[in-house]
């Protein structure tokens, strides 16, 4: 008998920023992946710390745009930018699931510094571990290279999901700092990974 479950993606903060800020260079790829996941009911997650990143990023985008237009950064701007930034994080909570972090995740993030020196990125990886997400999706190439968890760009994630004969790839961290593939299984339609044995 074959058991099935849908795969899930934990989206890095930069993917959410891309989704809400159309001026970012990679916004198209990130939006396409999120749209596809919504359409196909594929699970999306995010680390709880991403809420803060998205909120302040969007406020900064609005501030910079207003300054470039020569408009004052007055109280009315402050209120409107807060409302717009809050709308972004409320949308995140509507379409994806937050992964909370605690001190055990901080411990893991500290341990990961030896392979990846960015502590904030390491908290994202700790969220992948805690959530049990199948893949980390990010536009940070260094994070993809150093992650002990399967990681890819949104563009590559879409290619995988749309491939007629895709594979469910796991990566395992090797003590010498290299990656190697240790398991791959065919994906079912609409990104459904098939598990177990057929007896």
């Amino acid at each position: 008998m074959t058991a099935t479950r849908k795969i899930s993606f934990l989206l890095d903060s930069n993917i959410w920023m891309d989704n809400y800020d159309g001026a970012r260079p990679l916004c198209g790829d990130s939006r396409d992946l999120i749209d596809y996941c919504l359409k196909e009911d594929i699970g999306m997650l995010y680390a709880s710390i991403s809420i803060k990143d998205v909120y302040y990023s969007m406020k900064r985008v609005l501030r910079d745009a207003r300054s470039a237009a020569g408009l004052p950064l007055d109280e009315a701007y402050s209120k409107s930018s807060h409302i717009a930034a809050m709308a972004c994080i409320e949308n995140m909570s509507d379409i994806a699931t937050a992964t909370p972090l605690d001190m055990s995740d901080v411990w893991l993030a500290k341990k990961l510094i030896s392979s990846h020196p960015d502590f904030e990125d390491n908290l994202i990886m700790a969220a992948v571990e805690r959530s049990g997400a199948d893949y980390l999706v990010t536009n940070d190439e260094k994070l993809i290279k150093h992650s002990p968890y399967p990681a890819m760009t949104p563009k590559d994630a879409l290619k995988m999901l749309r491939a007629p004969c895709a594979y469910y790839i796991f990566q395992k961290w090797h003590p010498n700092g290299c990656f190697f593939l240790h398991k791959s299984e065919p994906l079912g339609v609409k990104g459904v990974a098939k598990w177990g044995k057929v007896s």
Side-chain angles (χ1 to χ4, degrees):
M1 184 175 180
T2 301
T4 64
R5 73 173 180 83
K6 291 188 177 181
I7 64 173
S8 59
F9 295 104
L10 189 137
L11 308 185
D12 194 2
S13 302
N14 56 58
I15 304 301
W16 295 106
M17 293 175 194
D18 286 345
N19 186 53
Y20 300 120
D21 180 4
R24 290 170 66 97
L26 299 175
C27 68
D29 292 340
S30 297
R31 287 177 174 179
D32 287 347
L33 176 62
I34 289 173
D35 288 345
Y36 188 93
C37 288
L38 288 171
K39 179 182 176 183
E40 301 296 337
D41 194 28
I42 295 171
M44 293 184 289
L45 305 108
Y46 59 90
S48 56
I49 60 169
S50 291
I51 294 173
K52 173 263 300 178
D53 295 335
V54 171
Y55 178 83
Y56 285 107
S57 174
M58 294 313 300
K59 288 204 69 172
R60 184 173 61 252
V61 166
L62 295 169
R63 179 198 64 204
D64 292 347
R66 192 170 178 87
S67 295
L71 298 172
L73 302 179
D74 53 15
E75 185 177 352
Y77 148 77
S78 181
K79 289 181 179 179
S80 62
S81 65
H82 168 73
I83 291 170
M86 285 298 296
C88 292
I89 62 175
E90 286 171 5
N91 177 253
M92 286 174 66
S93 67
D94 286 342
I95 66 176
T97 302
T99 299
L101 300 175
D102 62 23
M103 289 307 296
S104 66
D105 303 295
V106 173
W107 177 88
L108 177 57
K110 288 163 64 177
K111 290 294 183 181
L112 290 169
I113 285 176
S114 60
S115 58
H116 186 68
D118 189 318
F119 183 70
E120 192 168 13
D121 283 351
N122 294 346
L123 288 171
I124 297 295
M125 290 189 283
V128 176
E129 173 70 26
R130 175 172 289 277
S131 68
D134 297 298
Y135 295 96
L136 167 62
V137 180
T138 178
N139 279 317
D140 185 332
E141 292 294 342
K142 287 185 179 180
L143 179 53
I144 291 173
K145 181 179 179 181
H146 296 157
S147 175
Y149 307 98
M152 64 184 72
T153 65
K155 186 173 184 178
D156 286 338
L158 271 174
K159 285 181 180 178
M160 180 190 73
L161 292 171
R162 289 171 171 167
C165 186
Y167 286 87
Y168 193 58
I169 304 296
F170 291 81
Q171 290 176 310
K172 188 174 182 180
W173 182 252
H174 191 276
N176 67 7
C178 298
F179 287 111
F180 63 96
L181 301 179
H182 70 96
K183 185 177 182 182
S184 63
E185 297 182 8
L187 279 173
V189 295
K190 296 186 179 180
V192 178
K194 294 184 178 180
W195 296 79
K197 294 180 179 179
V198 178
S199 57

